[in-house]
PDB file of all heavy atoms in Angstrom:
ATOM      1  N   PHE A  21      -8.621  11.202  12.321  1.00 96.00           N
ATOM      2  CA  PHE A  21      -7.558  11.334  13.312  1.00 96.00           C
ATOM      3  C   PHE A  21      -7.352  12.813  13.609  1.00 96.00           C
ATOM      4  O   PHE A  21      -7.510  13.665  12.737  1.00 96.00           O
ATOM      5  CB  PHE A  21      -6.262  10.747  12.759  1.00 96.00           C
ATOM      6  CG  PHE A  21      -6.313   9.261  12.627  1.00 96.00           C
ATOM      7  CD1 PHE A  21      -6.408   8.678  11.389  1.00 96.00           C
ATOM      8  CD2 PHE A  21      -6.243   8.447  13.743  1.00 96.00           C
ATOM      9  CE1 PHE A  21      -6.420   7.301  11.243  1.00 96.00           C
ATOM     10  CE2 PHE A  21      -6.279   7.081  13.635  1.00 96.00           C
ATOM     11  CZ  PHE A  21      -6.347   6.471  12.389  1.00 96.00           C
ATOM     12  N   GLY A  22      -6.992  13.105  14.820  1.00 89.00           N
ATOM     13  CA  GLY A  22      -6.707  14.484  15.181  1.00 89.00           C
ATOM     14  C   GLY A  22      -5.625  14.564  16.245  1.00 89.00           C
ATOM     15  O   GLY A  22      -5.596  15.464  17.038  1.00 89.00           O
ATOM     16  N   ASP A  23      -4.697  13.608  16.202  1.00 87.00           N
ATOM     17  CA  ASP A  23      -3.662  13.552  17.269  1.00 87.00           C
ATOM     18  C   ASP A  23      -2.328  13.177  16.623  1.00 87.00           C
ATOM     19  O   ASP A  23      -2.059  13.485  15.468  1.00 87.00           O
ATOM     20  CB  ASP A  23      -4.054  12.527  18.315  1.00 87.00           C
ATOM     21  CG  ASP A  23      -4.377  11.133  17.721  1.00 87.00           C
ATOM     22  OD1 ASP A  23      -4.138  10.958  16.511  1.00 87.00           O
ATOM     23  OD2 ASP A  23      -4.821  10.272  18.466  1.00 87.00           O
ATOM     24  N   LYS A  24      -1.464  12.545  17.410  1.00 93.00           N
ATOM     25  CA  LYS A  24      -0.160  12.128  16.932  1.00 93.00           C
ATOM     26  C   LYS A  24      -0.270  11.226  15.702  1.00 93.00           C
ATOM     27  O   LYS A  24       0.545  11.333  14.779  1.00 93.00           O
ATOM     28  CB  LYS A  24       0.572  11.410  18.055  1.00 93.00           C
ATOM     29  CG  LYS A  24       1.970  11.004  17.690  1.00 93.00           C
ATOM     30  CD  LYS A  24       2.662  10.282  18.845  1.00 93.00           C
ATOM     31  CE  LYS A  24       4.029   9.788  18.390  1.00 93.00           C
ATOM     32  NZ  LYS A  24       4.675   8.970  19.381  1.00 93.00           N
ATOM     33  N   MET A  25      -1.286  10.379  15.646  1.00 94.00           N
ATOM     34  CA  MET A  25      -1.499   9.506  14.501  1.00 94.00           C
ATOM     35  C   MET A  25      -1.676  10.304  13.216  1.00 94.00           C
ATOM     36  O   MET A  25      -1.180   9.949  12.155  1.00 94.00           O
ATOM     37  CB  MET A  25      -2.634   8.537  14.704  1.00 94.00           C
ATOM     38  CG  MET A  25      -2.877   7.584  13.539  1.00 94.00           C
ATOM     39  SD  MET A  25      -1.513   6.453  13.189  1.00 94.00           S
ATOM     40  CE  MET A  25      -1.748   5.296  14.471  1.00 94.00           C
ATOM     41  N   LEU A  26      -2.440  11.393  13.329  1.00 95.00           N
ATOM     42  CA  LEU A  26      -2.643  12.268  12.140  1.00 95.00           C
ATOM     43  C   LEU A  26      -1.290  12.760  11.633  1.00 95.00           C
ATOM     44  O   LEU A  26      -1.024  12.684  10.429  1.00 95.00           O
ATOM     45  CB  LEU A  26      -3.510  13.460  12.527  1.00 95.00           C
ATOM     46  CG  LEU A  26      -3.673  14.566  11.459  1.00 95.00           C
ATOM     47  CD1 LEU A  26      -4.344  14.017  10.224  1.00 95.00           C
ATOM     48  CD2 LEU A  26      -4.411  15.728  12.005  1.00 95.00           C
ATOM     49  N   ASN A  27      -0.414  13.184  12.500  1.00 94.00           N
ATOM     50  CA  ASN A  27       0.900  13.674  12.069  1.00 94.00           C
ATOM     51  C   ASN A  27       1.765  12.549  11.514  1.00 94.00           C
ATOM     52  O   ASN A  27       2.454  12.727  10.520  1.00 94.00           O
ATOM     53  CB  ASN A  27       1.633  14.350  13.239  1.00 94.00           C
ATOM     54  CG  ASN A  27       0.930  15.627  13.644  1.00 94.00           C
ATOM     55  OD1 ASN A  27       0.318  16.316  12.818  1.00 94.00           O
ATOM     56  ND2 ASN A  27       0.966  15.962  14.909  1.00 94.00           N
ATOM     57  N   ASN A  28       1.672  11.376  12.111  1.00 94.00           N
ATOM     58  CA  ASN A  28       2.445  10.203  11.586  1.00 94.00           C
ATOM     59  C   ASN A  28       1.976   9.793  10.208  1.00 94.00           C
ATOM     60  O   ASN A  28       2.756   9.550   9.300  1.00 94.00           O
ATOM     61  CB  ASN A  28       2.344   9.010  12.542  1.00 94.00           C
ATOM     62  CG  ASN A  28       3.200   9.181  13.759  1.00 94.00           C
ATOM     63  OD1 ASN A  28       4.106   9.962  13.793  1.00 94.00           O
ATOM     64  ND2 ASN A  28       2.861   8.445  14.817  1.00 94.00           N
ATOM     65  N   LEU A  29       0.624   9.748  10.040  1.00 95.00           N
ATOM     66  CA  LEU A  29       0.095   9.370   8.727  1.00 95.00           C
ATOM     67  C   LEU A  29       0.399  10.442   7.703  1.00 95.00           C
ATOM     68  O   LEU A  29       0.780  10.153   6.563  1.00 95.00           O
ATOM     69  CB  LEU A  29      -1.414   9.157   8.826  1.00 95.00           C
ATOM     70  CG  LEU A  29      -1.852   7.869   9.508  1.00 95.00           C
ATOM     71  CD1 LEU A  29      -3.370   7.880   9.757  1.00 95.00           C
ATOM     72  CD2 LEU A  29      -1.455   6.632   8.643  1.00 95.00           C
ATOM     73  N   ASP A  30       0.262  11.705   8.102  1.00 92.00           N
ATOM     74  CA  ASP A  30       0.492  12.813   7.173  1.00 92.00           C
ATOM     75  C   ASP A  30       1.983  12.837   6.708  1.00 92.00           C
ATOM     76  O   ASP A  30       2.254  13.218   5.568  1.00 92.00           O
ATOM     77  CB  ASP A  30       0.165  14.125   7.866  1.00 92.00           C
ATOM     78  CG  ASP A  30      -0.136  15.241   6.873  1.00 92.00           C
ATOM     79  OD1 ASP A  30      -0.714  14.965   5.826  1.00 92.00           O
ATOM     80  OD2 ASP A  30       0.239  16.382   7.161  1.00 92.00           O
TER      81      ASP A  30
END
Side-chain angles (χ1 to χ4, degrees):
F21 292 106
D23 54 7
K24 183 180 175 187
M25 180 63 77
L26 173 63
N27 293 329
N28 285 340
L29 286 170
D30 202 37

